[in-house]
Amino acid sequence: MATYWTLGCDADDPQRIAAFWALALGYVKEPGFDEPDNASIVDPDGRGPAIGFLKVPEGKSAKNRMHIDVRVAGPGPWDMAERARLIRQKVPELVAAGATVVREEFYGDALGHVVMRDPEGNEFCVA
């Protein structure tokens, strides 16, 4: 049996960033974590890890050493044209929720992933 674990994240505004990541990942708020200084989101199907957000006094100061890939096409192997369509469908939704596009990366002629920043500046990819 796998070990249950939580991805812990520092945040300026835990509630706002939790709402963003809940939308991005299809997660829901975890009951009991609705204080101004902390928030947690969970996979409603119970498969993925919880993600916790804790308010910290300092802002982000460097590139992430680890990041989330939002895999909109699910597990491979993929039809690359359909995968690209799903990526291009998800990116505007995340921009509307406060993310910014950094760049697109290609695998040969196929769209590989889009590098983005969440509302607090943390890098992630839509793949």
PDB file of all heavy atoms in Angstrom, residues 65-87:
ATOM      1  N   ARG A  65      12.214  24.592  -7.354  1.00  0.00           N
ATOM      2  CA  ARG A  65      13.048  23.412  -7.539  1.00  0.00           C
ATOM      3  C   ARG A  65      12.189  22.199  -7.875  1.00  0.00           C
ATOM      4  O   ARG A  65      12.671  21.179  -8.327  1.00  0.00           O
ATOM      5  CB  ARG A  65      13.862  23.132  -6.264  1.00  0.00           C
ATOM      6  CG  ARG A  65      14.876  24.196  -5.924  1.00  0.00           C
ATOM      7  CD  ARG A  65      16.039  24.201  -6.893  1.00  0.00           C
ATOM      8  NE  ARG A  65      16.684  22.917  -7.002  1.00  0.00           N
ATOM      9  CZ  ARG A  65      17.896  22.637  -6.601  1.00  0.00           C
ATOM     10  NH1 ARG A  65      18.640  23.578  -6.073  1.00  0.00           N
ATOM     11  NH2 ARG A  65      18.392  21.441  -6.744  1.00  0.00           N
ATOM     12  N   MET A  66      10.903  22.301  -7.628  1.00  0.00           N
ATOM     13  CA  MET A  66       9.948  21.249  -7.933  1.00  0.00           C
ATOM     14  C   MET A  66       8.668  21.944  -8.373  1.00  0.00           C
ATOM     15  O   MET A  66       8.366  23.036  -7.885  1.00  0.00           O
ATOM     16  CB  MET A  66       9.691  20.407  -6.673  1.00  0.00           C
ATOM     17  CG  MET A  66       8.749  19.264  -6.878  1.00  0.00           C
ATOM     18  SD  MET A  66       8.666  18.136  -5.465  1.00  0.00           S
ATOM     19  CE  MET A  66       8.034  19.193  -4.181  1.00  0.00           C
ATOM     20  N   HIS A  67       7.956  21.342  -9.308  1.00  0.00           N
ATOM     21  CA  HIS A  67       6.710  21.968  -9.749  1.00  0.00           C
ATOM     22  C   HIS A  67       5.688  20.914 -10.133  1.00  0.00           C
ATOM     23  O   HIS A  67       6.016  19.740 -10.286  1.00  0.00           O
ATOM     24  CB  HIS A  67       6.964  22.942 -10.910  1.00  0.00           C
ATOM     25  CG  HIS A  67       7.358  22.275 -12.192  1.00  0.00           C
ATOM     26  ND1 HIS A  67       8.671  22.097 -12.550  1.00  0.00           N
ATOM     27  CD2 HIS A  67       6.630  21.730 -13.189  1.00  0.00           C
ATOM     28  CE1 HIS A  67       8.727  21.488 -13.720  1.00  0.00           C
ATOM     29  NE2 HIS A  67       7.499  21.245 -14.125  1.00  0.00           N
ATOM     30  N   ILE A  68       4.471  21.363 -10.298  1.00  0.00           N
ATOM     31  CA  ILE A  68       3.362  20.496 -10.686  1.00  0.00           C
ATOM     32  C   ILE A  68       3.205  20.534 -12.202  1.00  0.00           C
ATOM     33  O   ILE A  68       3.280  21.599 -12.810  1.00  0.00           O
ATOM     34  CB  ILE A  68       2.052  20.954 -10.005  1.00  0.00           C
ATOM     35  CG1 ILE A  68       2.150  20.724  -8.498  1.00  0.00           C
ATOM     36  CG2 ILE A  68       0.832  20.250 -10.602  1.00  0.00           C
ATOM     37  CD1 ILE A  68       0.964  21.256  -7.713  1.00  0.00           C
ATOM     38  N   ASP A  69       3.001  19.377 -12.815  1.00  0.00           N
ATOM     39  CA  ASP A  69       2.588  19.290 -14.208  1.00  0.00           C
ATOM     40  C   ASP A  69       1.108  18.934 -14.207  1.00  0.00           C
ATOM     41  O   ASP A  69       0.711  17.912 -13.652  1.00  0.00           O
ATOM     42  CB  ASP A  69       3.346  18.197 -14.960  1.00  0.00           C
ATOM     43  CG  ASP A  69       4.767  18.598 -15.333  1.00  0.00           C
ATOM     44  OD1 ASP A  69       5.095  19.788 -15.238  1.00  0.00           O
ATOM     45  OD2 ASP A  69       5.538  17.712 -15.719  1.00  0.00           O
ATOM     46  N   VAL A  70       0.298  19.790 -14.798  1.00  0.00           N
ATOM     47  CA  VAL A  70      -1.130  19.527 -14.953  1.00  0.00           C
ATOM     48  C   VAL A  70      -1.269  18.722 -16.242  1.00  0.00           C
ATOM     49  O   VAL A  70      -1.105  19.257 -17.330  1.00  0.00           O
ATOM     50  CB  VAL A  70      -1.937  20.845 -15.020  1.00  0.00           C
ATOM     51  CG1 VAL A  70      -3.418  20.566 -15.220  1.00  0.00           C
ATOM     52  CG2 VAL A  70      -1.704  21.686 -13.774  1.00  0.00           C
ATOM     53  N   ARG A  71      -1.522  17.433 -16.102  1.00  0.00           N
ATOM     54  CA  ARG A  71      -1.551  16.513 -17.250  1.00  0.00           C
ATOM     55  C   ARG A  71      -2.982  16.383 -17.773  1.00  0.00           C
ATOM     56  O   ARG A  71      -3.709  15.472 -17.415  1.00  0.00           O
ATOM     57  CB  ARG A  71      -0.970  15.162 -16.862  1.00  0.00           C
ATOM     58  CG  ARG A  71       0.510  15.254 -16.524  1.00  0.00           C
ATOM     59  CD  ARG A  71       1.093  13.949 -16.090  1.00  0.00           C
ATOM     60  NE  ARG A  71       0.960  12.928 -17.139  1.00  0.00           N
ATOM     61  CZ  ARG A  71       1.438  11.703 -17.022  1.00  0.00           C
ATOM     62  NH1 ARG A  71       2.078  11.329 -15.933  1.00  0.00           N
ATOM     63  NH2 ARG A  71       1.274  10.836 -18.003  1.00  0.00           N
ATOM     64  N   VAL A  72      -3.362  17.290 -18.657  1.00  0.00           N
ATOM     65  CA  VAL A  72      -4.747  17.341 -19.132  1.00  0.00           C
ATOM     66  C   VAL A  72      -5.121  16.171 -20.027  1.00  0.00           C
ATOM     67  O   VAL A  72      -6.297  15.857 -20.167  1.00  0.00           O
ATOM     68  CB  VAL A  72      -5.040  18.677 -19.856  1.00  0.00           C
ATOM     69  CG1 VAL A  72      -4.951  19.838 -18.892  1.00  0.00           C
ATOM     70  CG2 VAL A  72      -4.119  18.887 -21.044  1.00  0.00           C
ATOM     71  N   ALA A  73      -4.129  15.518 -20.628  1.00  0.00           N
ATOM     72  CA  ALA A  73      -4.422  14.406 -21.534  1.00  0.00           C
ATOM     73  C   ALA A  73      -4.397  13.058 -20.824  1.00  0.00           C
ATOM     74  O   ALA A  73      -4.581  12.030 -21.467  1.00  0.00           O
ATOM     75  CB  ALA A  73      -3.432  14.409 -22.697  1.00  0.00           C
ATOM     76  N   GLY A  74      -4.166  13.053 -19.515  1.00  0.00           N
ATOM     77  CA  GLY A  74      -4.125  11.797 -18.787  1.00  0.00           C
ATOM     78  C   GLY A  74      -2.853  11.027 -19.085  1.00  0.00           C
ATOM     79  O   GLY A  74      -1.897  11.568 -19.621  1.00  0.00           O
ATOM     80  N   PRO A  75      -2.836   9.736 -18.753  1.00  0.00           N
ATOM     81  CA  PRO A  75      -1.633   8.939 -18.984  1.00  0.00           C
ATOM     82  C   PRO A  75      -1.446   8.630 -20.470  1.00  0.00           C
ATOM     83  O   PRO A  75      -2.414   8.526 -21.215  1.00  0.00           O
ATOM     84  CB  PRO A  75      -1.885   7.667 -18.175  1.00  0.00           C
ATOM     85  CG  PRO A  75      -3.367   7.574 -18.074  1.00  0.00           C
ATOM     86  CD  PRO A  75      -3.889   8.989 -18.078  1.00  0.00           C
ATOM     87  N   GLY A  76      -0.187   8.509 -20.899  1.00  0.00           N
ATOM     88  CA  GLY A  76       0.123   8.173 -22.292  1.00  0.00           C
ATOM     89  C   GLY A  76      -0.082   6.698 -22.554  1.00  0.00           C
ATOM     90  O   GLY A  76      -0.443   5.951 -21.650  1.00  0.00           O
ATOM     91  N   PRO A  77       0.111   6.283 -23.783  1.00  0.00           N
ATOM     92  CA  PRO A  77       0.555   7.095 -24.925  1.00  0.00           C
ATOM     93  C   PRO A  77      -0.578   7.975 -25.436  1.00  0.00           C
ATOM     94  O   PRO A  77      -1.750   7.681 -25.240  1.00  0.00           O
ATOM     95  CB  PRO A  77       0.948   6.053 -25.972  1.00  0.00           C
ATOM     96  CG  PRO A  77       0.140   4.836 -25.635  1.00  0.00           C
ATOM     97  CD  PRO A  77      -0.068   4.871 -24.137  1.00  0.00           C
ATOM     98  N   TRP A  78      -0.203   9.081 -26.103  1.00  0.00           N
ATOM     99  CA  TRP A  78      -1.169  10.093 -26.504  1.00  0.00           C
ATOM    100  C   TRP A  78      -1.279  10.226 -28.009  1.00  0.00           C
ATOM    101  O   TRP A  78      -0.321   9.998 -28.741  1.00  0.00           O
ATOM    102  CB  TRP A  78      -0.772  11.465 -25.961  1.00  0.00           C
ATOM    103  CG  TRP A  78      -0.625  11.520 -24.500  1.00  0.00           C
ATOM    104  CD1 TRP A  78      -1.617  11.502 -23.569  1.00  0.00           C
ATOM    105  CD2 TRP A  78       0.594  11.606 -23.766  1.00  0.00           C
ATOM    106  NE1 TRP A  78      -1.102  11.579 -22.305  1.00  0.00           N
ATOM    107  CE2 TRP A  78       0.267  11.643 -22.394  1.00  0.00           C
ATOM    108  CE3 TRP A  78       1.934  11.657 -24.121  1.00  0.00           C
ATOM    109  CZ2 TRP A  78       1.218  11.731 -21.403  1.00  0.00           C
ATOM    110  CZ3 TRP A  78       2.887  11.741 -23.127  1.00  0.00           C
ATOM    111  CH2 TRP A  78       2.523  11.778 -21.780  1.00  0.00           C
ATOM    112  N   ASP A  79      -2.424  10.672 -28.435  1.00  0.00           N
ATOM    113  CA  ASP A  79      -2.597  11.251 -29.759  1.00  0.00           C
ATOM    114  C   ASP A  79      -2.134  12.698 -29.580  1.00  0.00           C
ATOM    115  O   ASP A  79      -2.783  13.480 -28.880  1.00  0.00           O
ATOM    116  CB  ASP A  79      -4.073  11.178 -30.170  1.00  0.00           C
ATOM    117  CG  ASP A  79      -4.365  11.937 -31.446  1.00  0.00           C
ATOM    118  OD1 ASP A  79      -3.996  13.128 -31.541  1.00  0.00           O
ATOM    119  OD2 ASP A  79      -4.987  11.351 -32.336  1.00  0.00           O
ATOM    120  N   MET A  80      -0.994  13.051 -30.158  1.00  0.00           N
ATOM    121  CA  MET A  80      -0.373  14.349 -29.878  1.00  0.00           C
ATOM    122  C   MET A  80      -1.233  15.525 -30.331  1.00  0.00           C
ATOM    123  O   MET A  80      -1.217  16.572 -29.697  1.00  0.00           O
ATOM    124  CB  MET A  80       1.028  14.422 -30.487  1.00  0.00           C
ATOM    125  CG  MET A  80       2.009  13.443 -29.832  1.00  0.00           C
ATOM    126  SD  MET A  80       2.149  13.641 -28.025  1.00  0.00           S
ATOM    127  CE  MET A  80       3.251  15.043 -27.948  1.00  0.00           C
ATOM    128  N   ALA A  81      -1.999  15.369 -31.406  1.00  0.00           N
ATOM    129  CA  ALA A  81      -2.878  16.452 -31.847  1.00  0.00           C
ATOM    130  C   ALA A  81      -3.993  16.681 -30.826  1.00  0.00           C
ATOM    131  O   ALA A  81      -4.313  17.830 -30.484  1.00  0.00           O
ATOM    132  CB  ALA A  81      -3.459  16.149 -33.226  1.00  0.00           C
ATOM    133  N   GLU A  82      -4.568  15.608 -30.306  1.00  0.00           N
ATOM    134  CA  GLU A  82      -5.614  15.732 -29.286  1.00  0.00           C
ATOM    135  C   GLU A  82      -5.034  16.277 -27.989  1.00  0.00           C
ATOM    136  O   GLU A  82      -5.646  17.111 -27.310  1.00  0.00           O
ATOM    137  CB  GLU A  82      -6.292  14.381 -29.046  1.00  0.00           C
ATOM    138  CG  GLU A  82      -7.321  14.370 -27.925  1.00  0.00           C
ATOM    139  CD  GLU A  82      -8.513  15.293 -28.152  1.00  0.00           C
ATOM    140  OE1 GLU A  82      -8.685  15.853 -29.249  1.00  0.00           O
ATOM    141  OE2 GLU A  82      -9.298  15.461 -27.193  1.00  0.00           O
ATOM    142  N   ARG A  83      -3.841  15.839 -27.638  1.00  0.00           N
ATOM    143  CA  ARG A  83      -3.168  16.337 -26.432  1.00  0.00           C
ATOM    144  C   ARG A  83      -2.942  17.843 -26.551  1.00  0.00           C
ATOM    145  O   ARG A  83      -3.213  18.595 -25.617  1.00  0.00           O
ATOM    146  CB  ARG A  83      -1.846  15.596 -26.242  1.00  0.00           C
ATOM    147  CG  ARG A  83      -1.118  15.951 -24.986  1.00  0.00           C
ATOM    148  CD  ARG A  83       0.092  14.999 -24.851  1.00  0.00           C
ATOM    149  NE  ARG A  83       0.881  15.327 -23.705  1.00  0.00           N
ATOM    150  CZ  ARG A  83       1.907  16.181 -23.724  1.00  0.00           C
ATOM    151  NH1 ARG A  83       2.277  16.765 -24.835  1.00  0.00           N
ATOM    152  NH2 ARG A  83       2.584  16.428 -22.621  1.00  0.00           N
ATOM    153  N   ALA A  84      -2.462  18.305 -27.701  1.00  0.00           N
ATOM    154  CA  ALA A  84      -2.243  19.732 -27.922  1.00  0.00           C
ATOM    155  C   ALA A  84      -3.557  20.503 -27.804  1.00  0.00           C
ATOM    156  O   ALA A  84      -3.611  21.589 -27.220  1.00  0.00           O
ATOM    157  CB  ALA A  84      -1.597  19.975 -29.278  1.00  0.00           C
ATOM    158  N   ARG A  85      -4.635  19.935 -28.340  1.00  0.00           N
ATOM    159  CA  ARG A  85      -5.947  20.586 -28.248  1.00  0.00           C
ATOM    160  C   ARG A  85      -6.367  20.743 -26.788  1.00  0.00           C
ATOM    161  O   ARG A  85      -6.843  21.801 -26.369  1.00  0.00           O
ATOM    162  CB  ARG A  85      -7.001  19.778 -29.023  1.00  0.00           C
ATOM    163  CG  ARG A  85      -8.372  20.480 -29.073  1.00  0.00           C
ATOM    164  CD  ARG A  85      -9.450  19.568 -29.615  1.00  0.00           C
ATOM    165  NE  ARG A  85      -9.821  18.523 -28.677  1.00  0.00           N
ATOM    166  CZ  ARG A  85     -10.554  18.710 -27.556  1.00  0.00           C
ATOM    167  NH1 ARG A  85     -10.984  19.902 -27.239  1.00  0.00           N
ATOM    168  NH2 ARG A  85     -10.839  17.687 -26.780  1.00  0.00           N
ATOM    169  N   LEU A  86      -6.166  19.694 -25.991  1.00  0.00           N
ATOM    170  CA  LEU A  86      -6.535  19.749 -24.570  1.00  0.00           C
ATOM    171  C   LEU A  86      -5.673  20.755 -23.810  1.00  0.00           C
ATOM    172  O   LEU A  86      -6.175  21.464 -22.924  1.00  0.00           O
ATOM    173  CB  LEU A  86      -6.421  18.356 -23.950  1.00  0.00           C
ATOM    174  CG  LEU A  86      -7.438  17.334 -24.460  1.00  0.00           C
ATOM    175  CD1 LEU A  86      -7.071  15.938 -23.976  1.00  0.00           C
ATOM    176  CD2 LEU A  86      -8.843  17.714 -24.037  1.00  0.00           C
ATOM    177  N   ILE A  87      -4.391  20.827 -24.134  1.00  0.00           N
ATOM    178  CA  ILE A  87      -3.511  21.814 -23.496  1.00  0.00           C
ATOM    179  C   ILE A  87      -4.001  23.217 -23.831  1.00  0.00           C
ATOM    180  O   ILE A  87      -4.158  24.064 -22.947  1.00  0.00           O
ATOM    181  CB  ILE A  87      -2.051  21.614 -23.944  1.00  0.00           C
ATOM    182  CG1 ILE A  87      -1.491  20.310 -23.382  1.00  0.00           C
ATOM    183  CG2 ILE A  87      -1.183  22.808 -23.519  1.00  0.00           C
ATOM    184  CD1 ILE A  87      -0.152  19.892 -23.978  1.00  0.00           C
TER     185      ILE A  87
END
